[in-house]
Amino acid sequence: MLKRFSISSRRLTNLSFRPRTRQPFGPLIPSNLQRSVNTSTLHYQLGYRPLRDFSRPPTMALRRSNATYAGMLPLGLRPSEYTVPLAQPPSNWKTLAPFPSNPNAETYSKQESLSHLPIPPLASTLEKLKTSLQAMAVSEAEYDAAVTKIDEFGRPGGIGEALHKRLEQRREKEEQVGGRGHWLEEWWDELAYMGYRDSVVINVSYYYGFDLPPSAQTPLAQSASDSTIPTSFSLQRGASTIRSALLFRHRLLNGLVPPDAVKQGPLCMDSWRWMFDSCRIPHKPADYALSFTPAEKSKEVGIDGHFIVLRKNKVWKIPNTVKDSSSGESRLLSTTEIESALNHIVYNTTYGPAIGNLTASDRDSWADDYAVLASISERNAGILHDIHSAAF
């Protein structure tokens, strides 16, 4: 089931790439995607090309299959409600990420005991605002003028007290059964996070770095004939990292990861529901997220699904599992099997147009381009779904 997604030669219209000029660091536009300033369209289609079967070691077979999204839908959505992209995001998208079905799950066992997000007293907030502005004011006169406005806002019976009372009412409502949990959640999700319209690549998204093991021997050395070929060390390290992530995902989906804690007590684990099998979907005026629950075909929860590998602008889909030759049951890929798949990808991938760079645009531009990509064909929609629903 190893699949490669590549760019075909069929025409794609109305696909634009419009980095905002006010960004200090804009997305890089490859030469094969550059157009004149008078041209706002790119003519590519996101394509899919299945590969021949290969087997290494003999117990592992990664087979070709058609791009489809019929069998893995966001939890709570019926097939008739789901298209790529959704015409309207689910109003309850935040609730669609599942909790473990294990009744003895430890990961979220402390959620009910956590304190709700408090609202600081108005007077304390205004005093902190004054302190912050003191370092920003260009003159004493400017600072004194700001303090006068703050004092007027916070005077007894003033607008500040009225707004603070409304905020307390919102807190009480959201903390009730059926509420969002705390007063800030909706504003944070919809305005500060999902409503953020600049590129998320350098402004929001995080990345990981890993220290080299003590036994590493010249791990950064490249092939003398092709600098794009990683060393065997790199493939081994990549395979072991993927294997570790799959094992951790298995523990998390079974609720076996202990909740984070500090000296004062446990921390909220709610956001961990979005660590795997989920994706932020571009949309206007605000993005939304979808969580995908893989169909559990094996006896063990948390092993089915797939992960994505990017190589030379080509996207590969690799299943998490393989049939065990002795038991016939599905099991997670071993480190050796993952390394074999990575090795195949390294030596069987040629460069394609960097369609993935479109994701680095501002969110409104990417939302427009994403809608065009998905609407071109059912195959495109299936490929995008495979990317979105990947474990990672």
Side-chain angles (χ1 to χ4, degrees):
M1 191 183 272
L2 185 71
K3 297 200 292 189
R4 180 182 69 182
F5 306 145
S6 59
I7 306 303
S8 73
S9 59
R10 294 180 59 186
R11 181 181 177 88
L12 169 64
T13 58
N14 299 325
L15 178 59
S16 59
F17 194 104
R18 303 182 296 276
R20 290 186 175 179
T21 55
R22 65 184 179 85
Q23 284 284 10
F25 298 96
L28 299 177
I29 308 177
S31 59
N32 58 350
L33 294 185
Q34 291 178 351
R35 294 293 182 271
S36 68
V37 293
N38 296 322
T39 303
S40 61
T41 59
L42 305 177
H43 305 295
Y44 294 111
Q45 179 185 7
L46 186 64
Y48 160 73
R49 186 177 176 185
L51 296 183
R52 60 181 173 82
D53 295 351
F54 75 96
S55 178
R56 180 190 175 197
T59 58
M60 179 187 182
L62 303 179
R63 299 182 178 87
R64 57 178 177 258
S65 66
N66 294 325
T68 178
Y69 53 89
M72 189 183 292
L73 298 177
L75 187 69
L77 293 184
R78 297 186 298 272
S80 60
E81 299 173 324
Y82 183 75
T83 56
V84 183
L86 291 174
Q88 291 295 329
S91 59
N92 63 333
W93 65 263
K94 191 70 179 287
T95 67
L96 298 182
F99 287 97
S101 57
N102 178 7
N104 300 316
E106 181 182 6
T107 305
Y108 305 97
S109 60
K110 306 296 183 183
Q111 292 297 108
E112 296 300 322
S113 65
L114 296 174
S115 301
H116 291 282
L117 183 69
I119 297 178
L122 178 61
S124 172
T125 300
L126 296 183
E127 285 302 315
K128 290 180 179 178
L129 177 59
K130 292 178 183 179
T131 302
S132 299
L133 292 179
Q134 194 168 24
M136 300 169 60
V138 297
S139 66
E140 288 292 332
E142 183 183 56
Y143 177 72
D144 291 341
V147 168
T148 299
K149 293 179 180 179
I150 293 172
D151 290 339
E152 174 62 22
F153 178 84
R155 66 176 175 81
I159 188 175
E161 284 194 353
L163 293 175
H164 193 77
K165 183 178 180 180
R166 290 170 60 181
L167 193 59
E168 290 284 2
Q169 293 171 345
R170 177 184 176 88
R171 178 188 61 79
E172 294 175 2
K173 176 184 176 181
E174 297 295 356
E175 289 179 5
Q176 294 175 358
V177 176
R180 292 180 177 86
H182 63 78
W183 58 272
L184 186 59
E185 181 164 327
E186 180 185 17
W187 292 339
W188 173 259
D189 289 340
E190 303 298 336
L191 300 177
Y193 192 67
M194 293 299 188
Y196 186 80
R197 297 288 86 191
D198 288 338
S199 171
V200 300
V201 174
I202 59 171
N203 298 296
V204 176
S205 298
Y206 56 88
Y207 65 93
Y208 294 101
F210 300 94
D211 292 333
L212 296 176
S215 60
Q217 296 180 356
T218 61
L220 301 181
Q222 300 293 328
S223 168
S225 58
D226 186 351
S227 62
T228 68
I229 300 296
T231 63
S232 59
F233 169 87
S234 299
L235 294 178
Q236 292 167 4
R237 193 72 190 278
S240 64
T241 302
I242 292 171
R243 168 73 177 177
S244 297
L246 290 175
L247 291 172
F248 183 83
R249 171 179 175 268
H250 174 257
R251 293 182 61 215
L252 180 64
L253 294 184
N254 280 276
L256 302 178
V257 176
D260 283 341
V262 292
K263 204 182 306 182
Q264 291 77 12
L267 299 177
C268 180
M269 297 288 286
D270 185 71
S271 62
W272 286 56
R273 294 182 294 135
W274 300 94
M275 179 171 287
F276 299 104
D277 308 284
S278 63
C279 186
R280 174 173 174 161
I281 311 297
H283 195 75
K284 294 193 296 187
D287 297 346
Y288 60 95
L290 288 178
S291 176
F292 298 81
T293 304
E296 293 295 346
K297 301 176 183 178
S298 59
K299 295 180 180 178
E300 222 175 337
V301 175
I303 68 171
D304 287 322
H306 62 274
F307 60 92
I308 292 294
V309 175
L310 185 65
R311 168 75 172 166
K312 294 183 177 180
N313 302 326
K314 303 289 181 63
V315 180
W316 293 73
K317 175 184 178 181
I318 304 178
N320 296 343
T321 61
V322 67
K323 288 286 185 181
D324 188 90
S325 58
S326 57
S327 67
E329 296 290 339
S330 294
R331 60 167 176 79
L332 287 176
L333 295 175
S334 67
T335 303
T336 301
E337 290 165 339
I338 296 171
E339 184 182 349
S340 174
L342 296 181
N343 188 73
H344 181 88
I345 290 171
V346 164
Y347 288 99
N348 290 274
T349 308
T350 57
Y351 276 106
I355 294 297
N357 277 23
L358 295 173
T359 64
S361 296
D362 65 271
R363 300 309 290 176
D364 284 347
S365 297
W366 171 222
D368 291 338
D369 296 340
Y370 166 73
V372 173
L373 281 171
S375 66
I376 289 297
S377 68
E378 185 75 10
R379 174 173 289 182
N380 275 10
I383 293 170
L384 289 170
H385 175 270
D386 281 338
I387 295 172
H388 292 163
S389 60
F392 48 85

